Amino acid sequence: MHYVYILKSIKDDFVSIGSSDDLKKRFIGHNNKKNQSTKFYAPFKLVYYEAYADRDDALMREHK
């Protein structure tokens, strides 16, 4: 399963959209500042996600 997700920073007015095949691990990584592009905006709350069987479908949705 592949996921497209939207994260909202709890401390700033910042939103991040991404995709992953392991949503829980990715969310934890964002909150533990493991992602260079979002580490200054942590912590996050998960505000939305969609699940896809196909990785290409998830990537197409992420870029829309």
Short mmCIF file of all heavy atoms in Angstrom, two decimals:
data_model
loop_
_atom_site.label_atom_id
_atom_site.label_comp_id
_atom_site.label_asym_id
_atom_site.label_seq_id
_atom_site.Cartn_x
_atom_site.Cartn_y
_atom_site.Cartn_z
N MET A 1 0.85 -1.17 0.00
CA MET A 1 0.00 0.00 0.00
C MET A 1 0.90 1.24 0.00
O MET A 1 1.93 1.27 0.65
CB MET A 1 -0.88 -0.04 1.24
CG MET A 1 -2.13 0.79 1.21
SD MET A 1 -3.25 0.59 -0.14
CE MET A 1 -4.10 -0.89 0.26
N HIS A 2 0.48 2.25 -0.73
CA HIS A 2 1.21 3.52 -0.80
C HIS A 2 0.27 4.63 -0.37
O HIS A 2 -0.93 4.58 -0.64
CB HIS A 2 1.72 3.77 -2.22
CG HIS A 2 2.67 2.71 -2.68
ND1 HIS A 2 4.00 2.77 -2.42
CD2 HIS A 2 2.47 1.56 -3.34
CE1 HIS A 2 4.59 1.71 -2.90
NE2 HIS A 2 3.67 0.95 -3.48
N TYR A 3 0.84 5.62 0.28
CA TYR A 3 0.03 6.68 0.88
C TYR A 3 0.48 8.06 0.41
O TYR A 3 1.67 8.29 0.23
CB TYR A 3 0.14 6.63 2.41
CG TYR A 3 -0.29 5.32 2.98
CD1 TYR A 3 0.63 4.30 3.18
CD2 TYR A 3 -1.61 5.09 3.30
CE1 TYR A 3 0.24 3.08 3.69
CE2 TYR A 3 -2.02 3.87 3.82
CZ TYR A 3 -1.09 2.87 4.01
OH TYR A 3 -1.48 1.66 4.51
N VAL A 4 -0.48 8.94 0.24
CA VAL A 4 -0.23 10.37 0.04
C VAL A 4 -0.76 11.03 1.31
O VAL A 4 -1.85 10.69 1.78
CB VAL A 4 -0.96 10.92 -1.20
CG1 VAL A 4 -0.78 12.42 -1.32
CG2 VAL A 4 -0.48 10.21 -2.45
N TYR A 5 0.02 11.93 1.88
CA TYR A 5 -0.36 12.51 3.18
C TYR A 5 -0.14 14.01 3.21
O TYR A 5 0.64 14.56 2.42
CB TYR A 5 0.44 11.85 4.30
CG TYR A 5 1.94 12.02 4.15
CD1 TYR A 5 2.59 13.16 4.61
CD2 TYR A 5 2.71 11.05 3.53
CE1 TYR A 5 3.95 13.33 4.47
CE2 TYR A 5 4.07 11.20 3.37
CZ TYR A 5 4.68 12.34 3.84
OH TYR A 5 6.04 12.51 3.69
N ILE A 6 -0.85 14.65 4.13
CA ILE A 6 -0.67 16.08 4.39
C ILE A 6 -0.38 16.23 5.87
O ILE A 6 -1.13 15.74 6.71
CB ILE A 6 -1.92 16.90 4.00
CG1 ILE A 6 -2.23 16.74 2.52
CG2 ILE A 6 -1.72 18.38 4.35
CD1 ILE A 6 -3.52 17.40 2.08
N LEU A 7 0.72 16.89 6.17
CA LEU A 7 1.11 17.19 7.54
C LEU A 7 1.01 18.68 7.77
O LEU A 7 1.35 19.47 6.89
CB LEU A 7 2.55 16.76 7.81
CG LEU A 7 2.90 15.30 7.57
CD1 LEU A 7 4.38 15.08 7.84
CD2 LEU A 7 2.06 14.40 8.44
N LYS A 8 0.58 19.06 8.95
CA LYS A 8 0.50 20.47 9.35
C LYS A 8 1.40 20.66 10.56
O LYS A 8 1.30 19.92 11.54
CB LYS A 8 -0.96 20.82 9.70
CG LYS A 8 -1.14 22.15 10.40
CD LYS A 8 -1.12 23.31 9.42
CE LYS A 8 -1.49 24.62 10.08
NZ LYS A 8 -0.41 25.32 10.72
N SER A 9 2.28 21.64 10.48
CA SER A 9 3.14 21.96 11.62
C SER A 9 2.29 22.47 12.77
O SER A 9 1.40 23.29 12.59
CB SER A 9 4.16 23.02 11.23
OG SER A 9 4.89 23.45 12.35
N ILE A 10 2.58 21.99 13.95
CA ILE A 10 1.87 22.43 15.15
C ILE A 10 2.34 23.82 15.59
O ILE A 10 1.56 24.61 16.10
CB ILE A 10 2.03 21.40 16.28
CG1 ILE A 10 1.30 20.11 15.89
CG2 ILE A 10 1.51 21.93 17.61
CD1 ILE A 10 1.53 18.95 16.83
N LYS A 11 3.61 24.14 15.32
CA LYS A 11 4.15 25.41 15.81
C LYS A 11 4.19 26.53 14.77
O LYS A 11 4.28 27.69 15.13
CB LYS A 11 5.55 25.20 16.39
CG LYS A 11 6.60 24.87 15.39
CD LYS A 11 7.97 24.78 16.05
CE LYS A 11 9.05 24.68 15.00
NZ LYS A 11 10.37 24.82 15.57
N ASP A 12 4.13 26.20 13.49
CA ASP A 12 4.22 27.21 12.42
C ASP A 12 3.08 27.03 11.42
O ASP A 12 2.40 26.01 11.42
CB ASP A 12 5.54 27.08 11.67
CG ASP A 12 6.73 27.52 12.49
OD1 ASP A 12 6.63 28.56 13.16
OD2 ASP A 12 7.76 26.81 12.47
N ASP A 13 2.95 28.00 10.54
CA ASP A 13 1.96 27.92 9.47
C ASP A 13 2.63 27.26 8.27
O ASP A 13 2.92 27.90 7.26
CB ASP A 13 1.46 29.33 9.13
CG ASP A 13 0.28 29.30 8.18
OD1 ASP A 13 -0.46 28.31 8.18
OD2 ASP A 13 0.11 30.29 7.44
N PHE A 14 2.90 25.96 8.39
CA PHE A 14 3.61 25.21 7.36
C PHE A 14 2.87 23.91 7.11
O PHE A 14 2.47 23.22 8.06
CB PHE A 14 5.04 24.91 7.82
CG PHE A 14 5.84 24.11 6.84
CD1 PHE A 14 6.44 24.71 5.76
CD2 PHE A 14 5.99 22.74 7.01
CE1 PHE A 14 7.19 23.96 4.86
CE2 PHE A 14 6.73 21.98 6.12
CZ PHE A 14 7.33 22.60 5.03
N VAL A 15 2.70 23.56 5.84
CA VAL A 15 2.04 22.32 5.44
C VAL A 15 3.00 21.56 4.53
O VAL A 15 3.64 22.14 3.66
CB VAL A 15 0.72 22.61 4.70
CG1 VAL A 15 0.10 21.34 4.16
CG2 VAL A 15 -0.25 23.34 5.61
N SER A 16 3.08 20.26 4.73
CA SER A 16 3.92 19.40 3.91
C SER A 16 3.05 18.31 3.28
O SER A 16 2.24 17.69 3.96
CB SER A 16 5.02 18.76 4.75
OG SER A 16 5.78 17.86 3.98
N ILE A 17 3.25 18.08 1.99
CA ILE A 17 2.55 17.01 1.27
C ILE A 17 3.61 16.02 0.81
O ILE A 17 4.65 16.42 0.27
CB ILE A 17 1.78 17.56 0.06
CG1 ILE A 17 0.75 18.58 0.53
CG2 ILE A 17 1.13 16.43 -0.72
CD1 ILE A 17 0.09 19.34 -0.59
N GLY A 18 3.35 14.74 1.03
CA GLY A 18 4.32 13.73 0.64
C GLY A 18 3.67 12.40 0.36
O GLY A 18 2.45 12.26 0.42
N SER A 19 4.51 11.41 0.05
CA SER A 19 4.03 10.06 -0.17
C SER A 19 5.02 9.07 0.42
O SER A 19 6.21 9.37 0.55
CB SER A 19 3.82 9.79 -1.67
OG SER A 19 5.03 9.88 -2.36
N SER A 20 4.50 7.90 0.77
CA SER A 20 5.34 6.88 1.39
C SER A 20 4.64 5.54 1.34
O SER A 20 3.40 5.48 1.28
CB SER A 20 5.62 7.25 2.85
OG SER A 20 6.36 6.24 3.50
N ASP A 21 5.41 4.47 1.40
CA ASP A 21 4.82 3.15 1.50
C ASP A 21 4.69 2.71 2.97
O ASP A 21 4.12 1.66 3.26
CB ASP A 21 5.59 2.12 0.69
CG ASP A 21 7.01 1.93 1.18
OD1 ASP A 21 7.49 2.76 1.97
OD2 ASP A 21 7.65 0.94 0.76
N ASP A 22 5.21 3.53 3.88
CA ASP A 22 5.08 3.25 5.32
C ASP A 22 4.74 4.58 6.01
O ASP A 22 5.62 5.28 6.49
CB ASP A 22 6.37 2.66 5.87
CG ASP A 22 6.25 2.17 7.30
OD1 ASP A 22 5.31 2.60 8.02
OD2 ASP A 22 7.09 1.36 7.72
N LEU A 23 3.47 4.88 6.06
CA LEU A 23 3.01 6.18 6.57
C LEU A 23 3.40 6.40 8.02
O LEU A 23 3.86 7.48 8.40
CB LEU A 23 1.50 6.31 6.39
CG LEU A 23 0.86 7.62 6.86
CD1 LEU A 23 1.48 8.81 6.16
CD2 LEU A 23 -0.64 7.57 6.62
N LYS A 24 3.24 5.40 8.85
CA LYS A 24 3.57 5.54 10.28
C LYS A 24 5.05 5.86 10.47
O LYS A 24 5.41 6.79 11.20
CB LYS A 24 3.20 4.26 11.02
CG LYS A 24 3.41 4.35 12.51
CD LYS A 24 2.92 3.09 13.20
CE LYS A 24 3.10 3.19 14.69
NZ LYS A 24 2.62 1.97 15.37
N LYS A 25 5.93 5.13 9.79
CA LYS A 25 7.38 5.37 9.90
C LYS A 25 7.74 6.76 9.37
O LYS A 25 8.55 7.47 9.96
CB LYS A 25 8.13 4.29 9.12
CG LYS A 25 9.62 4.41 9.18
CD LYS A 25 10.28 3.28 8.42
CE LYS A 25 11.79 3.44 8.41
NZ LYS A 25 12.43 2.35 7.65
N ARG A 26 7.12 7.15 8.27
CA ARG A 26 7.40 8.46 7.68
C ARG A 26 6.96 9.59 8.61
O ARG A 26 7.67 10.58 8.78
CB ARG A 26 6.69 8.57 6.33
CG ARG A 26 7.03 9.79 5.56
CD ARG A 26 8.44 9.71 5.02
NE ARG A 26 8.62 10.75 4.04
CZ ARG A 26 9.80 11.25 3.72
NH1 ARG A 26 10.89 10.80 4.26
NH2 ARG A 26 9.87 12.21 2.84
N PHE A 27 5.78 9.45 9.21
CA PHE A 27 5.27 10.44 10.15
C PHE A 27 6.19 10.58 11.35
O PHE A 27 6.54 11.69 11.76
CB PHE A 27 3.85 10.06 10.58
CG PHE A 27 3.23 11.01 11.56
CD1 PHE A 27 2.91 12.30 11.19
CD2 PHE A 27 2.98 10.62 12.86
CE1 PHE A 27 2.33 13.18 12.09
CE2 PHE A 27 2.40 11.49 13.77
CZ PHE A 27 2.07 12.78 13.38
N ILE A 28 6.62 9.46 11.90
CA ILE A 28 7.56 9.49 13.03
C ILE A 28 8.87 10.16 12.62
O ILE A 28 9.43 10.96 13.37
CB ILE A 28 7.80 8.07 13.57
CG1 ILE A 28 6.52 7.56 14.24
CG2 ILE A 28 8.97 8.02 14.53
CD1 ILE A 28 6.53 6.07 14.58
N GLY A 29 9.35 9.86 11.41
CA GLY A 29 10.58 10.48 10.91
C GLY A 29 10.46 11.99 10.80
O GLY A 29 11.38 12.73 11.17
N HIS A 30 9.33 12.48 10.30
CA HIS A 30 9.11 13.93 10.23
C HIS A 30 9.13 14.55 11.63
O HIS A 30 9.76 15.59 11.85
CB HIS A 30 7.78 14.25 9.55
CG HIS A 30 7.82 14.22 8.07
ND1 HIS A 30 8.48 15.14 7.30
CD2 HIS A 30 7.25 13.36 7.18
CE1 HIS A 30 8.34 14.86 6.02
NE2 HIS A 30 7.58 13.79 5.92
N ASN A 31 8.47 13.91 12.57
CA ASN A 31 8.41 14.47 13.93
C ASN A 31 9.73 14.35 14.68
O ASN A 31 9.98 15.12 15.60
CB ASN A 31 7.27 13.84 14.72
CG ASN A 31 5.95 14.51 14.42
OD1 ASN A 31 5.90 15.70 14.16
ND2 ASN A 31 4.89 13.74 14.43
N ASN A 32 10.59 13.42 14.28
CA ASN A 32 11.91 13.28 14.90
C ASN A 32 12.98 14.04 14.13
O ASN A 32 14.17 13.84 14.34
CB ASN A 32 12.29 11.80 15.01
CG ASN A 32 11.51 11.09 16.07
OD1 ASN A 32 11.07 11.69 17.05
ND2 ASN A 32 11.29 9.80 15.89
N LYS A 33 12.54 14.92 13.21
CA LYS A 33 13.42 15.81 12.45
C LYS A 33 14.43 15.07 11.59
O LYS A 33 15.56 15.51 11.39
CB LYS A 33 14.13 16.79 13.39
CG LYS A 33 13.15 17.63 14.18
CD LYS A 33 13.86 18.59 15.11
CE LYS A 33 12.83 19.39 15.90
NZ LYS A 33 13.46 20.36 16.77
N LYS A 34 14.02 13.93 11.03
CA LYS A 34 14.90 13.13 10.16
C LYS A 34 14.84 13.59 8.70
O LYS A 34 15.64 13.17 7.89
CB LYS A 34 14.50 11.65 10.22
CG LYS A 34 14.56 11.05 11.59
CD LYS A 34 15.97 10.89 12.06
CE LYS A 34 15.99 10.19 13.41
NZ LYS A 34 17.31 10.13 13.97
N ASN A 35 13.89 14.45 8.36
CA ASN A 35 13.72 14.94 7.00
C ASN A 35 14.27 16.36 6.90
O ASN A 35 13.81 17.26 7.60
CB ASN A 35 12.23 14.90 6.62
CG ASN A 35 12.01 15.23 5.18
OD1 ASN A 35 12.25 16.35 4.76
ND2 ASN A 35 11.54 14.26 4.41
N GLN A 36 15.26 16.57 6.03
CA GLN A 36 15.93 17.87 5.92
C GLN A 36 14.97 19.01 5.58
O GLN A 36 15.10 20.12 6.09
CB GLN A 36 17.04 17.81 4.87
CG GLN A 36 18.21 16.94 5.26
CD GLN A 36 19.00 17.52 6.42
OE1 GLN A 36 18.91 18.69 6.75
NE2 GLN A 36 19.79 16.67 7.06
N SER A 37 13.99 18.74 4.72
CA SER A 37 13.12 19.83 4.27
C SER A 37 12.06 20.23 5.28
O SER A 37 11.47 21.30 5.16
CB SER A 37 12.45 19.45 2.94
OG SER A 37 11.61 18.34 3.11
N THR A 38 11.81 19.41 6.29
CA THR A 38 10.76 19.72 7.26
C THR A 38 11.24 19.81 8.69
O THR A 38 10.45 20.13 9.58
CB THR A 38 9.62 18.68 7.19
OG1 THR A 38 10.14 17.39 7.54
CG2 THR A 38 8.99 18.64 5.81
N LYS A 39 12.51 19.54 8.95
CA LYS A 39 12.98 19.42 10.33
C LYS A 39 12.80 20.70 11.16
O LYS A 39 12.63 20.62 12.37
CB LYS A 39 14.41 18.94 10.39
CG LYS A 39 15.45 19.92 9.91
CD LYS A 39 16.82 19.30 10.03
CE LYS A 39 17.91 20.27 9.65
NZ LYS A 39 19.22 19.67 9.81
N PHE A 40 12.78 21.85 10.54
CA PHE A 40 12.63 23.10 11.29
C PHE A 40 11.18 23.40 11.66
O PHE A 40 10.92 24.33 12.41
CB PHE A 40 13.22 24.27 10.50
CG PHE A 40 14.69 24.11 10.23
CD1 PHE A 40 15.14 23.83 8.96
CD2 PHE A 40 15.62 24.20 11.27
CE1 PHE A 40 16.50 23.67 8.70
CE2 PHE A 40 16.97 24.04 11.02
CZ PHE A 40 17.41 23.77 9.74
N TYR A 41 10.25 22.62 11.13
CA TYR A 41 8.83 22.87 11.36
C TYR A 41 8.17 21.84 12.28
O TYR A 41 7.00 21.95 12.59
CB TYR A 41 8.08 22.89 10.02
CG TYR A 41 8.66 23.89 9.07
CD1 TYR A 41 9.48 23.50 8.02
CD2 TYR A 41 8.42 25.25 9.22
CE1 TYR A 41 10.03 24.42 7.14
CE2 TYR A 41 8.97 26.18 8.36
CZ TYR A 41 9.77 25.76 7.32
OH TYR A 41 10.32 26.69 6.47
N ALA A 42 8.92 20.84 12.71
CA ALA A 42 8.37 19.80 13.60
C ALA A 42 8.02 20.42 14.95
O ALA A 42 8.63 21.41 15.35
CB ALA A 42 9.39 18.68 13.77
N PRO A 43 7.05 19.91 15.61
CA PRO A 43 6.28 18.69 15.39
C PRO A 43 5.10 18.92 14.44
O PRO A 43 4.68 20.05 14.20
CB PRO A 43 5.78 18.32 16.78
CG PRO A 43 5.61 19.65 17.46
CD PRO A 43 6.73 20.51 16.92
N PHE A 44 4.58 17.80 13.93
CA PHE A 44 3.48 17.81 12.97
C PHE A 44 2.29 17.03 13.48
O PHE A 44 2.42 16.16 14.32
CB PHE A 44 3.92 17.16 11.65
CG PHE A 44 4.94 17.95 10.90
CD1 PHE A 44 6.29 17.71 11.09
CD2 PHE A 44 4.57 18.94 10.02
CE1 PHE A 44 7.24 18.44 10.40
CE2 PHE A 44 5.50 19.68 9.33
CZ PHE A 44 6.84 19.43 9.52
N LYS A 45 1.13 17.36 12.89
CA LYS A 45 -0.04 16.50 13.05
C LYS A 45 -0.44 16.05 11.65
O LYS A 45 -0.27 16.79 10.66
CB LYS A 45 -1.19 17.21 13.76
CG LYS A 45 -1.74 18.43 13.05
CD LYS A 45 -2.85 19.06 13.86
CE LYS A 45 -3.33 20.33 13.18
NZ LYS A 45 -4.43 20.96 13.90
N LEU A 46 -0.91 14.83 11.55
CA LEU A 46 -1.39 14.29 10.29
C LEU A 46 -2.81 14.77 10.09
O LEU A 46 -3.68 14.49 10.90
CB LEU A 46 -1.33 12.76 10.33
CG LEU A 46 -1.83 12.03 9.09
CD1 LEU A 46 -0.93 12.31 7.90
CD2 LEU A 46 -1.90 10.53 9.37
N VAL A 47 -3.04 15.54 9.03
CA VAL A 47 -4.38 16.10 8.82
C VAL A 47 -5.16 15.36 7.74
O VAL A 47 -6.39 15.46 7.70
CB VAL A 47 -4.33 17.61 8.50
CG1 VAL A 47 -3.82 18.39 9.69
CG2 VAL A 47 -3.51 17.91 7.27
N TYR A 48 -4.46 14.59 6.87
CA TYR A 48 -5.17 13.91 5.80
C TYR A 48 -4.25 12.86 5.17
O TYR A 48 -3.03 13.06 5.10
CB TYR A 48 -5.59 14.91 4.72
CG TYR A 48 -6.40 14.31 3.60
CD1 TYR A 48 -7.75 14.04 3.78
CD2 TYR A 48 -5.81 14.02 2.38
CE1 TYR A 48 -8.51 13.48 2.75
CE2 TYR A 48 -6.56 13.48 1.34
CZ TYR A 48 -7.90 13.20 1.54
OH TYR A 48 -8.65 12.65 0.53
N TYR A 49 -4.84 11.75 4.72
CA TYR A 49 -4.09 10.80 3.92
C TYR A 49 -5.03 10.01 3.01
O TYR A 49 -6.22 9.92 3.27
CB TYR A 49 -3.25 9.85 4.78
CG TYR A 49 -4.04 8.80 5.52
CD1 TYR A 49 -4.25 7.54 4.96
CD2 TYR A 49 -4.56 9.05 6.78
CE1 TYR A 49 -4.97 6.58 5.64
CE2 TYR A 49 -5.27 8.10 7.46
CZ TYR A 49 -5.46 6.85 6.88
OH TYR A 49 -6.18 5.90 7.54
N GLU A 50 -4.46 9.50 1.92
CA GLU A 50 -5.16 8.64 0.98
C GLU A 50 -4.29 7.42 0.74
O GLU A 50 -3.05 7.53 0.71
CB GLU A 50 -5.39 9.34 -0.36
CG GLU A 50 -6.26 10.55 -0.29
CD GLU A 50 -6.36 11.30 -1.62
OE1 GLU A 50 -5.62 10.97 -2.58
OE2 GLU A 50 -7.18 12.22 -1.69
N ALA A 51 -4.90 6.26 0.55
CA ALA A 51 -4.18 5.02 0.30
C ALA A 51 -4.35 4.59 -1.15
O ALA A 51 -5.45 4.71 -1.72
CB ALA A 51 -4.68 3.92 1.23
N TYR A 52 -3.26 4.09 -1.74
CA TYR A 52 -3.26 3.62 -3.12
C TYR A 52 -2.57 2.27 -3.20
O TYR A 52 -1.57 2.04 -2.51
CB TYR A 52 -2.52 4.60 -4.04
CG TYR A 52 -3.21 5.93 -4.16
CD1 TYR A 52 -2.98 6.95 -3.24
CD2 TYR A 52 -4.10 6.16 -5.19
CE1 TYR A 52 -3.63 8.16 -3.35
CE2 TYR A 52 -4.76 7.39 -5.31
CZ TYR A 52 -4.52 8.37 -4.38
OH TYR A 52 -5.16 9.57 -4.48
N ALA A 53 -3.07 1.40 -4.06
CA ALA A 53 -2.45 0.10 -4.26
C ALA A 53 -1.18 0.23 -5.11
O ALA A 53 -0.25 -0.55 -4.97
CB ALA A 53 -3.42 -0.86 -4.92
N ASP A 54 -1.14 1.24 -5.96
CA ASP A 54 -0.05 1.41 -6.91
C ASP A 54 0.79 2.65 -6.57
O ASP A 54 0.24 3.73 -6.36
CB ASP A 54 -0.63 1.54 -8.32
CG ASP A 54 0.45 1.62 -9.38
OD1 ASP A 54 1.08 0.58 -9.65
OD2 ASP A 54 0.65 2.72 -9.92
N ARG A 55 2.10 2.50 -6.53
CA ARG A 55 3.01 3.60 -6.20
C ARG A 55 2.88 4.76 -7.19
O ARG A 55 2.88 5.93 -6.81
CB ARG A 55 4.45 3.10 -6.18
CG ARG A 55 5.46 4.17 -5.86
CD ARG A 55 6.88 3.58 -5.86
NE ARG A 55 7.85 4.59 -5.53
CZ ARG A 55 8.53 5.29 -6.45
NH1 ARG A 55 8.32 5.07 -7.74
NH2 ARG A 55 9.39 6.19 -6.08
N ASP A 56 2.79 4.45 -8.47
CA ASP A 56 2.69 5.50 -9.50
C ASP A 56 1.43 6.34 -9.32
O ASP A 56 1.46 7.56 -9.51
CB ASP A 56 2.73 4.90 -10.89
CG ASP A 56 4.10 4.34 -11.25
OD1 ASP A 56 5.10 4.79 -10.65
OD2 ASP A 56 4.16 3.45 -12.12
N ASP A 57 0.33 5.70 -8.93
CA ASP A 57 -0.91 6.45 -8.68
C ASP A 57 -0.73 7.40 -7.50
O ASP A 57 -1.18 8.55 -7.53
CB ASP A 57 -2.07 5.50 -8.39
CG ASP A 57 -2.51 4.72 -9.61
OD1 ASP A 57 -2.19 5.15 -10.75
OD2 ASP A 57 -3.16 3.67 -9.43
N ALA A 58 -0.04 6.94 -6.46
CA ALA A 58 0.20 7.79 -5.29
C ALA A 58 1.08 8.98 -5.67
O ALA A 58 0.81 10.12 -5.25
CB ALA A 58 0.86 6.98 -4.17
N LEU A 59 2.11 8.75 -6.46
CA LEU A 59 3.00 9.84 -6.88
C LEU A 59 2.29 10.86 -7.75
O LEU A 59 2.50 12.06 -7.61
CB LEU A 59 4.23 9.29 -7.59
CG LEU A 59 5.21 8.52 -6.71
CD1 LEU A 59 6.32 7.90 -7.57
CD2 LEU A 59 5.80 9.42 -5.64
N MET A 60 1.41 10.38 -8.63
CA MET A 60 0.64 11.30 -9.48
C MET A 60 -0.26 12.18 -8.60
O MET A 60 -0.37 13.39 -8.82
CB MET A 60 -0.20 10.54 -10.50
CG MET A 60 0.60 10.05 -11.67
SD MET A 60 -0.32 9.15 -12.95
CE MET A 60 -1.96 9.73 -12.83
N ARG A 61 -0.90 11.57 -7.61
CA ARG A 61 -1.78 12.32 -6.71
C ARG A 61 -0.99 13.33 -5.88
O ARG A 61 -1.42 14.46 -5.68
CB ARG A 61 -2.54 11.36 -5.81
CG ARG A 61 -3.41 12.02 -4.80
CD ARG A 61 -4.52 12.81 -5.45
NE ARG A 61 -5.47 13.21 -4.42
CZ ARG A 61 -6.25 14.27 -4.50
NH1 ARG A 61 -6.24 15.01 -5.58
NH2 ARG A 61 -7.06 14.56 -3.54
N GLU A 62 0.18 12.92 -5.40
CA GLU A 62 1.03 13.83 -4.59
C GLU A 62 1.36 15.09 -5.39
O GLU A 62 1.36 16.19 -4.85
CB GLU A 62 2.31 13.12 -4.19
CG GLU A 62 3.27 14.01 -3.45
CD GLU A 62 4.62 13.37 -3.20
OE1 GLU A 62 4.85 12.22 -3.63
OE2 GLU A 62 5.48 14.03 -2.59
N HIS A 63 1.63 14.95 -6.66
CA HIS A 63 2.05 16.10 -7.48
C HIS A 63 0.91 16.97 -7.94
O HIS A 63 1.12 18.06 -8.45
CB HIS A 63 2.87 15.60 -8.65
CG HIS A 63 4.18 15.03 -8.21
ND1 HIS A 63 5.10 14.52 -9.07
CD2 HIS A 63 4.71 14.88 -6.97
CE1 HIS A 63 6.14 14.08 -8.38
NE2 HIS A 63 5.92 14.29 -7.12
N LYS A 64 -0.34 16.50 -7.75
CA LYS A 64 -1.49 17.32 -8.07
C LYS A 64 -1.71 18.26 -6.93
O LYS A 64 -2.15 19.26 -6.84
CB LYS A 64 -2.75 16.48 -8.29
CG LYS A 64 -2.75 15.78 -9.61
CD LYS A 64 -4.05 15.05 -9.79
CE LYS A 64 -4.07 14.32 -11.11
NZ LYS A 64 -5.29 13.61 -11.33
#
